[in-house]
Amino acid sequence: MTNPTEDTIAVERERVMRPVIRLVAIYLGLSILIAVLVAVFHHSVLNYQFAHAPNHDSPDPAVRDQVRTSLSWALWSRPITALIVLLVYLRIIRGLRHGRRSSYRRIRVVAIVVTVLNVYYIASGQNPVWMSIGQGLQIVVLITTFVLANRPDVKAHFRPAQGD
């Protein structure tokens, strides 16, 4: 049985983490939506990416086929990637709710890394505008997640234990 102090800490942690966890859920929703749209509009996205890819206008048909095939495989990998991200984020959310410092570090690192990746994807110009808008929304959510996760009241729940 837990003592009242542990219960109070858990309730307070849940309160301060609620906005961060909601933002992670919003990010996941956006990721799944983009993955589904990519699957539904696969040929349209593939044609757009192919038109903006290096060697798309190669005189060698084998090179053009290889470019198209590699782009197609990359597009089909998006739903798999979205599923993996979903599972990772669900584990992080569970860890945040239980006060695990490792989950707290992960959410901050993941927010930074995925933001940088999304900026790269947008800057590459190889995705249709609607995908770039979705990735832009993800960037806003991730930056907000990072900012909220670094608030003093949130940090206070994930301080290293003595000897860490």
Side-chain angles (χ1 to χ4, degrees):
M1 188 156 155
T2 61
N3 67 44
T5 305
E6 289 175 2
D7 290 341
T8 304
I9 291 170
V11 168
E12 178 62 14
R13 183 177 53 246
E14 180 70 25
R15 184 189 68 75
V16 299
M17 288 308 300
R18 193 171 297 126
V20 173
I21 291 170
R22 282 186 182 147
L23 285 168
V24 171
I26 290 168
Y27 172 80
L28 287 173
L30 286 168
S31 294
I32 292 168
L33 176 64
I34 291 170
V36 168
L37 289 173
V38 165
V40 169
F41 298 110
H42 178 81
H43 292 294
S44 173
V45 174
L46 179 60
N47 289 337
Y48 183 92
Q49 288 183 337
F50 181 72
H52 293 84
N55 296 325
H56 76 280
D57 56 354
S58 171
D60 184 354
V63 171
R64 290 193 309 267
D65 286 345
Q66 194 236 356
V67 169
R68 183 174 283 281
T69 300
S70 65
L71 288 171
S72 182
W73 276 104
L75 277 177
W76 284 121
S77 72
R78 264 184 140 17
I80 295 167
T81 304
L83 177 62
I84 292 168
V85 168
L86 171 73
L87 295 173
V88 167
Y89 271 138
L90 290 175
R91 185 168 181 203
I92 289 172
I93 288 171
R94 187 176 40 155
L96 291 172
R97 286 195 166 133
H98 288 98
R100 292 192 190 109
R101 184 166 168 72
S102 60
S103 294
Y104 176 64
R105 282 192 311 262
R106 280 188 191 105
I107 196 66
R108 296 182 327 171
V109 170
V110 167
I112 292 169
V113 170
V114 176
T115 295
V116 170
L117 288 173
N118 277 338
V119 167
Y120 169 77
Y121 293 143
I122 291 171
S124 74
Q126 290 191 4
N127 291 320
V129 173
W130 64 266
M131 278 181 72
S132 294
I133 291 170
Q135 290 165 331
L137 291 171
Q138 287 178 319
I139 289 169
V140 170
V141 170
L142 289 167
I143 289 172
T144 307
T145 301
F146 183 80
V147 169
L148 291 180
N150 281 292
R151 289 186 339 225
D153 58 337
V154 174
K155 280 184 172 184
H157 287 280
F158 297 98
R159 287 203 174 106
Q162 294 294 354
D164 273 358

